[in-house]
């Protein structure tokens, strides 16, 4: 479980996160949603410690992450797997080397064990036969999957995904979402997913936090989200034409 | 002035991160091998070509500009040797390496920064500055003196060839000049310079690459800055070191 208390982040004089408090549950896919530029990435990176918060605390279980020193923070980070928006695969390394990298750095496995485990993770995300390709040689969807494989290779307790399905076709996007959901159930991770995609919200939003103008504007789950009366949220949820029609229809039925 | 201090401060902060104790030496070793390729072996070609031409042109220039009968002929060989050793093979070469290695380092790190590869390393709990930059600096400290020695040899060979081909003086005179009044301290001086230039180029370029913010355009800018500021520092330290070591 991760708990965030009164988190505020100001860049120079730009307020990006404004006094956000919330919890992310273990074994669930927790979603952070909001428009582009609403601060989702900053929020996620602050939780991992890649960005230092201006104010507020972040608790991993009951450990106050913000008060740990550098070395103690590193220990926690070893339990974190993170998938970045552009997958962030190392350009100069093959798919296999990318996934193997954390094993090289943090385990004493033999080469054979490493390769077996890498192949297990790659199969888990449905990437086979691409071990020797470079990131520049594979598709966007495949990159995300390899990034996900790299994120789970150390059996993390925490899994963070920054817009895992942005830039993908709807079908691939759903596959990635399901993959994240399955992995969360299987490994019982505390998973946080950034997204602005309503399909993801409806599909895997076991817990949803809506960020608007730097504040936490709404919190709930995918069942509740369509019936909320939060105006900003409704604007976000029913952004496209079809959704608006749907909403009209619902309100008439009521 | 404030911006200068700002960069200087951040540069030294980055260096303290770079020289923090490495956690897994084996992983650094792999990186180092990669840099040996990037920085070392891939630069050999350009060094050979440039040194060959520098050596031959400095020889021909000296020969054609000292045709007075009062000047001894051995000056030409000596001039070629000493100018290669003292300046061309260290300072001149460093300026060219600033262009090649410096822009390479800055664009590599800059791209890693904007594509979040550096964040990925940090999120795993790896000291990215040290992991990425230290091998580059170590490879440079190792290779720059080697470059210099290579360049001296090739430069002198270039001079010799130009004499042999044009016949502007006799080979015997040239050879005599090459051996005339050799001061071994010049080699020490030039090697000290090359080590320091190697450090300047790799660390300054790393600084500009590692701290990129924005997109592809900024990576390009960082790469240019890396070359410009590495070169300026090379020239500045050349003067300082010469005063320090030669006076
Ligand atoms: N390092 C930074 N310095 C200044 N402003 C930043 C920085 N990183 C992000 N921001 C600003 O924070 C806001 C939120 O960005 P981001 O978290 O990337 O949005 P999202 O991921 O929701 O699309 C943006 O307006 C962006 O300009
Ligand atoms: Mg984002």
């Amino acid at each position: 479980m991760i708990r965030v208390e009164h988190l505020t982040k100001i860049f120079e004089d730009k307020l990006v996160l404004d006094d956000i408090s919330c919890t992310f549950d273990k074994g669930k896919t927790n979603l952070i949603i909001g428009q582009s530029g609403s601060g989702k990435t900053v929020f996620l990176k602050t939780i991992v410690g890649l960005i230092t918060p201006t104010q507020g605390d972040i608790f991993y279980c009951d450990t106050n992450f913000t008060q740990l020193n550098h070395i103690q923070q590193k220990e926690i980070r070893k339990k974190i797997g993170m998938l970045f928006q552009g997958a962030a695969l190392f350009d100069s390394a093959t798919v296999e080397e990318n996934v193997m990298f954390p094993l090289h750095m943090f385990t004493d496995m033999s080469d054979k064990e490493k390769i077996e485990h890498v192949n297990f993770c790659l199969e888990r995300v449905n990437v086979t036969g691409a071990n020797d390709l470079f990131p520049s040689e594979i598709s966007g969807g495949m990159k995300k999957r390899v990034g996900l494989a790299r994120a789970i290779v150390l059996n993390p307790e925490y899994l963070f995904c920054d817009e895992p399905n942005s830039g993908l076709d709807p079908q691939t996007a759903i596959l990635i979402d399901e993959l994240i959901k399955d992995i969360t159930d299987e490994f019982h991770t505390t998973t946080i997913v950034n997204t602005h995609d309503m399909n993801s919200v409806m599909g895997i939003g076991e817990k949803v936090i809506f960020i608007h103008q730097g504040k936490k504007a709404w919190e709930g789950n995918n069942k509740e989200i369509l019936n909320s009366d939060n105006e900003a949220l409704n604007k976000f949820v029913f952004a496209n034409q079809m959704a608006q029609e749907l909403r009209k229809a619902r309100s008439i039925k009521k | 002035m404030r911006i200068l201090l700002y960069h200087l401060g951040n540069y030294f902060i980055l260096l303290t991160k770079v020289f923090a104790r490495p956690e897994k030496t084996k992983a650094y070793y792999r990186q180092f091998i990669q840099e040996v390729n990037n920085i070392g072996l891939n630069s050999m070609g350009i060094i050979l070509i440039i040194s060959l031409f520098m050596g031959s042109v400095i020889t021909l220039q000296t020969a054609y500009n000292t045709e007075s009968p009062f000047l001894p002929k051995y000056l030409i060989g000596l001039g070629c040797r000493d100018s290669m050793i003292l300046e061309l093979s260290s300072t001149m070469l460093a300026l060219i390496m600033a262009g090649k290695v410096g822009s390479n380092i800055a664009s590599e790190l800059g791209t890693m920064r904007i594509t979040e590869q550096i964040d990925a390393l940090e999120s795993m709990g790896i000291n990215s500055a040290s992991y990425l930059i230290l091998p580059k600096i170590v490879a440079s400290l190792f290779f720059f003196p080697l470059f210099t020695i290579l360049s001296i040899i090739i430069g002198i060979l270039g001079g010799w060839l130009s004499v042999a081909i044009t016949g502007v003086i006799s080979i015997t005179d040239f050879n005599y000049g090459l051996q005339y009044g050799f001061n071994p301290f010049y080699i020490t001086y030039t090697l000290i310079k090359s080590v320091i230039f190697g450090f300047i180029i790799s660390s300054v370029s790393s600084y500009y690459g590692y701290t990129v913010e924005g997109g592809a355009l900024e990576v390009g800018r960082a790469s240019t800055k890396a070359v410009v500021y590495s070169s300026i520092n090379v020239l500045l330290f050349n003067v300082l070191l010469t005063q320090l070591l030669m006076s």
Side-chain angles (χ1 to χ4, degrees):
Chain A
M1 195 193 73
I2 296 171
R3 196 168 81 244
V4 172
E5 284 181 1
H6 304 294
L7 192 69
T8 299
K9 178 65 194 177
I10 303 171
F11 285 111
E12 272 119 54
D13 49 3
K14 187 164 194 263
L15 180 65
V16 177
L17 302 176
D18 186 2
D19 193 28
I20 296 183
S21 302
C22 59
T23 60
F24 300 99
D25 301 332
K26 188 170 168 63
K28 274 194 194 169
T29 42
N30 303 274
L31 264 53
I32 301 172
I33 64 171
Q35 289 174 319
S36 279
S38 57
K40 300 183 294 294
T41 301
V42 172
F43 191 17
L44 205 57
K45 285 189 178 172
T46 312
I47 293 174
V48 195
L50 292 173
I51 295 175
T52 331
T54 311
Q55 238 171 34
D57 296 296
I58 296 149
F59 295 88
Y60 281 80
C61 289
D62 286 319
T63 316
N64 190 341
F65 184 71
T66 25
Q67 290 187 350
L68 299 181
N69 66 29
H70 213 63
I71 295 158
Q72 293 165 320
Q73 283 196 349
K74 271 188 190 171
E75 286 311 309
I76 291 208
R77 284 194 192 160
K78 286 174 191 169
K79 301 183 200 161
I80 296 175
M82 185 151 179
L83 170 61
F84 287 83
Q85 189 161 355
L89 300 178
F90 304 125
D91 292 321
S92 55
T94 61
V95 165
E96 181 176 287
E97 287 163 349
N98 261 288
V99 181
M100 204 182 283
F101 181 80
L103 298 178
H104 274 320
M105 294 304 277
F106 300 117
T107 70
D108 296 316
M109 287 184 183
S110 71
D111 284 349
K112 191 162 158 280
E113 286 172 316
K114 280 181 199 159
I115 293 194
E116 269 169 18
H117 191 58
V118 165
N119 284 331
F120 167 79
C121 290
L122 282 172
E123 265 165 42
R124 188 70 199 75
V125 298
N126 305 323
V127 176
T128 46
N131 287 34
D132 297 327
L133 296 180
F134 283 89
S136 56
E137 297 169 333
I138 59 178
S139 69
M142 208 134 132
K143 275 185 205 167
K144 298 267 171 120
R145 282 189 236 190
V146 175
L148 194 56
R150 186 178 66 184
I152 60 171
V153 75
L154 290 175
N155 301 324
E157 284 176 41
Y158 309 97
L159 179 63
F160 301 151
C161 307
D162 193 2
E163 311 221 4
N165 51 21
S166 70
L168 300 181
D169 62 274
Q171 243 179 332
T172 316
I174 289 172
L175 283 179
I176 298 261
D177 280 346
E178 282 172 357
L179 206 52
I180 291 172
K181 177 86 183 71
D182 290 346
I183 287 168
T184 306
D185 291 343
E186 206 174 309
F187 298 97
H188 214 60
T189 53
T190 305
T191 303
I192 306 181
V193 178
N194 272 357
T195 186
H196 57 234
D197 180 5
M198 274 313 288
N199 288 326
S200 303
V201 175
M202 298 318 291
I204 60 169
E206 292 177 288
K207 173 157 192 172
V208 180
I209 286 157
F210 175 58
I211 308 271
H212 184 64
Q213 292 176 344
K215 285 195 162 61
K216 181 178 88 175
W218 186 83
E219 182 175 346
N221 62 34
N222 52 2
K223 310 224 165 50
E224 300 157 356
I225 197 166
L226 294 180
N227 301 318
S228 129
D229 47 16
N230 182 309
E231 202 163 321
L233 180 65
N234 280 333
K235 256 197 187 145
F236 177 83
V237 172
F238 301 103
N240 68 33
Q241 193 66 40
M242 199 184 75
Q244 280 170 18
E245 302 284 337
L246 208 71
R247 189 176 180 215
K248 244 185 255 164
R250 285 173 76 101
S251 62
I252 292 167
K253 227 168 35 184
K254 268 187 201 166
Chain B
M1 189 65 203
R2 261 186 52 196
I3 196 135
L4 180 77
L5 287 177
Y6 169 84
H7 280 298
L8 209 61
N10 281 345
Y11 171 77
F12 282 109
I13 290 171
L14 181 63
L15 281 189
T16 56
K17 249 186 103 184
V18 169
F19 288 103
R21 208 168 60 86
E23 38 231 283
K24 187 138 185 180
T25 30
K26 209 174 118 206
Y28 280 70
Y29 179 72
R30 296 159 154 276
Q31 284 290 101
F32 175 71
I33 295 298
Q34 235 174 45
E35 300 307 339
V36 166
N37 258 312
N38 278 347
I39 295 175
L41 306 183
N42 286 344
S43 305
M44 290 300 178
I46 194 172
I47 289 171
L48 294 187
I49 294 173
I50 285 171
S51 306
L52 196 71
F53 283 99
M54 284 195 304
S56 57
V57 84
I58 202 77
T59 305
L60 294 180
Q61 287 283 13
T62 331
Y64 290 128
N65 289 306
T66 56
E67 276 184 86
S68 149
F70 299 109
L71 288 169
K73 287 272 180 272
Y74 65 75
L75 269 189
I76 295 159
L78 182 132
C80 168
R81 182 195 74 203
D82 281 353
S83 37
M84 285 312 292
I85 294 179
L86 290 174
E87 292 301 329
L88 297 182
S89 293
S90 52
T91 314
M92 190 66 196
L93 198 76
L95 291 176
I96 287 154
M97 285 298 110
K100 188 186 176 296
V101 175
S103 64
N104 181 298
I105 289 178
S107 56
E108 182 195 327
L109 290 178
T111 306
M112 290 189 80
R113 165 67 72 192
I114 64 162
T115 56
E116 298 182 311
Q117 292 175 51
I118 290 181
D119 282 336
L121 285 170
E122 289 286 332
S123 78
M124 294 174 195
I126 294 167
N127 178 347
S128 62
S130 170
Y131 178 74
L132 295 172
I133 299 176
L134 190 62
K136 292 184 199 305
I137 294 182
V138 174
S140 300
L141 292 182
F142 181 75
F143 269 100
F144 270 67
L146 221 64
F147 290 160
T148 296
I149 292 178
L150 187 74
S151 165
I152 293 171
I153 294 169
I154 301 295
I156 290 175
L157 182 72
W160 192 89
L161 282 175
S162 67
V163 168
I165 292 167
T166 60
V168 58
I169 54 165
S170 75
I171 288 288
T172 332
D173 283 341
F174 186 76
N175 285 347
Y176 178 72
L178 282 183
Q179 291 156 28
Y180 185 87
F182 175 65
N183 182 349
F185 176 72
Y186 286 3
I187 299 280
T188 318
Y189 157 81
T190 204
L191 288 182
I192 291 174
K193 286 207 301 186
S194 68
V195 170
I196 290 176
F197 294 162
F199 182 82
I200 290 173
I201 291 170
S202 52
S203 62
V204 169
S205 306
S206 294
Y207 169 74
Y208 282 103
Y210 189 84
T211 54
V212 167
E213 275 176 30
L217 199 64
E218 280 77 13
V219 174
R221 284 206 191 109
S223 179
T224 310
K225 272 190 199 162
V227 176
V228 171
Y229 291 105
S230 300
S231 305
I232 291 176
N233 277 296
V234 162
L235 293 172
L236 179 70
F237 275 82
N238 188 35
V239 175
L240 293 179
L241 287 168
T242 304
Q243 174 60 25
L244 207 70
L245 295 169
M246 289 302 207
S247 63

